[in-house]
Amino acid sequence: MTTENAPLPRTELADLLTDAAQSVSAILTAEYPTAANRSYLHPVLGALFAGPQVACELADQLEGLIEPRPATPVGLFTLASYAAALGWLTESLAELTATVGQICTRAGIPTEPQDPDTAAHGGAEQDGEFDFAFSALEVAAIRTAAEAAGLTPGDYVEVLSESLLAASRITDACMEIPSGLLEDAAYVRGAASDHVWIGDGPDSLPTLVRSLLARVEAAG
């Protein structure tokens, strides 16, 4: 004889969404030690290191929400919100990983061990200039960092700019995802009963689902 698990109360469902929001937010403050010869990757290494771990934790929690499948509308609402958050985070991390790969290719990071003298002076032959307005101190710092990375100053500025842009995109995602989760958590926690999320139209969908649909429409 089998006994079905009792549906989780709304407070616990809301707590799951809140915990997920906190986990995703924590990606933004993650730190990862960066070697001097890879300093241009510093803006993204924290998220690149912590993001997959958070995604795995959310995936494990989502599996617990799916089995057994929620039997109440509020449970299904929570499941939809959680799944949307995980999908959005996974997509953002995949984009980040691909961008970092492109940056590494552009920077000429070797796949085989390189002679230290060659690595140290790999960019010394071309002193590529950059079309940015930097102060004398900033120029000196860039030249020092570029030399450590084996790049020309111009190439160093370009890969660092790409890294900063990638960091900006993952930051946006790791701010918008928690915001939607917290909105949905507040909705679940404040519901008058377990029979919420009954209605027609997009307004009855979780915040993150609506956000994803809006992104799809904008991309189309």
Side-chain angles (χ1 to χ4, degrees), residues 27-74:
I27 294 174
L28 298 178
T29 57
E31 293 288 342
Y32 191 82
T34 309
N37 63 342
R38 300 289 181 263
S39 60
Y40 50 86
L41 291 176
H42 179 71
V44 296
L45 286 185
L48 194 65
F49 170 73
Q53 182 177 349
V54 171
C56 286
E57 292 173 354
L58 296 188
D60 289 342
Q61 187 64 62
L62 180 63
E63 186 175 344
L65 280 172
I66 294 175
E67 296 293 343
R69 187 174 67 86
T72 63
V74 70

Side-chain angles (χ1 to χ4, degrees), residues 175-189:
M175 292 177 66
E176 193 164 355
I177 293 170
S179 176
L181 285 168
L182 291 176
E183 285 187 36
D184 290 341
Y187 177 71
V188 169
R189 186 174 285 111

Side-chain angles (χ1 to χ4, degrees), residues 73-96:
V74 70
L76 291 171
F77 180 95
T78 302
L79 175 60
S81 177
Y82 212 102
L86 177 58
W88 192 332
L89 177 61
T90 302
E91 178 186 355
S92 298
L93 290 173
E95 180 182 354
L96 175 64

Side-chain angles (χ1 to χ4, degrees), residues 102-173:
Q102 294 169 0
I103 292 172
C104 291
T105 298
R106 178 158 193 159
I109 293 180
T111 56
E112 298 294 334
Q114 193 174 16
D115 180 78
D117 291 335
T118 303
H121 301 289
E125 294 182 359
Q126 297 181 352
D127 191 36
E129 294 300 327
F130 29 82
D131 298 325
F132 297 93
F134 293 116
S135 68
L137 287 176
E138 289 170 334
V139 169
I142 289 170
R143 291 188 184 281
T144 299
E147 182 178 359
L151 297 171
T152 66
D155 285 342
Y156 183 86
V157 169
E158 288 190 16
V159 292
L160 178 60
S161 297
E162 292 175 9
S163 183
L164 289 169
L165 181 59
S168 175
R169 288 195 291 262
I170 193 66
T171 296
D172 288 344

